[in-house]
Amino acid sequence: MTDTTDDIAEEISFQSFDDDCRLLGNLLNDILHREVGTTFVDKLERIRVLAQSACNMRQAGIVNMAELLEKQLASDLSKMSLEEAFTLARAFSHYLTMMGIAETHHRVRKGGNMAQISKSCDDVFNQLVQGGVSPKDLYNTVCKQEVGIVLTAHPTQINRRTLQYKHIRIAHLLDYNDRPDLSPEDREMLIEDLVREITSIWQTDELSAKTHSS
């Protein structure tokens, strides 16, 4: 494909990723309205906006405003009961999980470009040299690279197998949603399936009884 075609394909791919994030986020938000009530969802949105705004202010170097927002955020959180704080943490956790599923699906969707990604070091180095990077600069840069080993548990490893299956089911539904031949009735049924899965996830205890007792 030409560079222009590649750019268009990439733009479409990211648009689909944004659509997936918006779809899952909106469905989760609707489910939270039903499960925990509008008042709590409004409080959750206020916390999200305060946290995001404080982060944006810090990144922009507006420290005074960031600190003011962080103090307000801390004040709001301190007024929550333990039960409210737990529900808040669960809501954000599930939201991040939904975005993670969308991101993984996006990477799978881009699988057609994996041949470009999975190149040997020789291929990459030759491409850089052909692109104008001098062999000397390339050598010096590579010599400065450092490799560190980090051992960590993947977040899904602490999830119940029941939830992992539901996450896989949502990924399969997103894949089905990509089909261009879906009828309006098919899409309606797909949304109903997503609502059913996300509702079930919210109503499922994230940790098994075995994990609680350990």
Side-chain angles (χ1 to χ4, degrees):
M1 289 193 298
T2 64
D3 290 341
T4 301
T5 307
D6 286 337
D7 290 342
I8 293 174
E10 184 74 6
E11 182 178 347
I12 292 174
S13 180
F14 272 109
Q15 182 178 350
S16 298
F17 170 60
D18 290 339
D19 289 341
D20 287 343
C21 290
R22 191 176 301 108
L23 172 63
L24 296 180
N26 287 341
L27 290 179
L28 176 60
N29 189 64
D30 291 343
I31 290 166
L32 289 176
H33 272 281
R34 185 173 65 248
E35 293 290 323
V36 298
T38 300
T39 300
F40 185 82
V41 173
D42 290 343
K43 186 179 297 187
L44 186 151
E45 178 63 12
R46 173 179 167 81
I47 295 296
R48 186 195 68 79
V49 171
L50 280 172
Q52 185 63 61
S53 299
C55 182
N56 292 341
M57 291 297 102
R58 283 205 173 275
Q59 290 179 344
I62 310 176
V63 179
N64 290 340
M65 180 60 69
E67 291 179 345
L68 184 63
L69 292 171
E70 288 165 356
K71 287 181 180 179
Q72 183 60 56
L73 177 61
S75 175
D76 285 6
L77 290 174
S78 67
K79 295 175 183 176
M80 282 188 168
S81 65
L82 183 60
E83 182 179 358
E84 285 181 318
F86 179 70
T87 304
L88 179 77
R90 288 191 68 220
F92 280 125
S93 175
H94 286 306
Y95 176 80
L96 292 175
T97 297
M98 294 299 109
M99 298 306 101
I101 293 172
E103 180 181 2
T104 299
H105 177 61
H106 172 64
R107 294 179 183 276
V108 173
R109 184 191 286 126
K110 293 177 61 179
N113 296 326
M114 287 305 293
Q116 281 187 318
I117 299 174
S118 56
K119 294 180 178 179
S120 68
C121 289
D122 287 340
D123 291 334
V124 174
F125 293 159
N126 288 332
Q127 185 176 354
L128 289 172
V129 171
Q130 292 173 7
V133 178
S134 72
K136 181 178 180 180
D137 289 342
L138 180 58
Y139 174 80
N140 291 334
T141 300
V142 172
C143 288
K144 294 177 182 177
Q145 300 302 304
E146 296 182 358
V147 177
I149 299 177
V150 178
L151 300 179
T152 181
H154 192 278
T156 60
Q157 292 177 350
I158 65 171
N159 283 338
R160 297 181 63 178
R161 187 167 300 177
T162 302
L163 286 178
Q164 294 180 33
Y165 287 145
K166 295 181 185 300
H167 296 162
I168 293 172
R169 171 66 174 158
I170 290 175
H172 287 165
L173 289 170
L174 290 180
D175 184 56
Y176 183 67
N177 191 43
D178 286 341
R179 291 180 51 173
D181 60 342
L182 288 185
S183 67
E185 292 77 14
D186 290 333
R187 293 192 182 278
E188 184 176 343
M189 291 179 61
L190 181 143
I191 295 299
E192 291 176 357
D193 286 343
L194 282 172
V195 169
R196 190 177 302 109
E197 293 296 336
I198 297 175
T199 301
S200 178
I201 286 173
W202 177 257
Q203 294 176 348
T204 300
D205 191 358
E206 289 85 350
L207 302 178
S208 65
K210 181 179 179 181
T211 305
H212 282 311
S213 60
S214 61

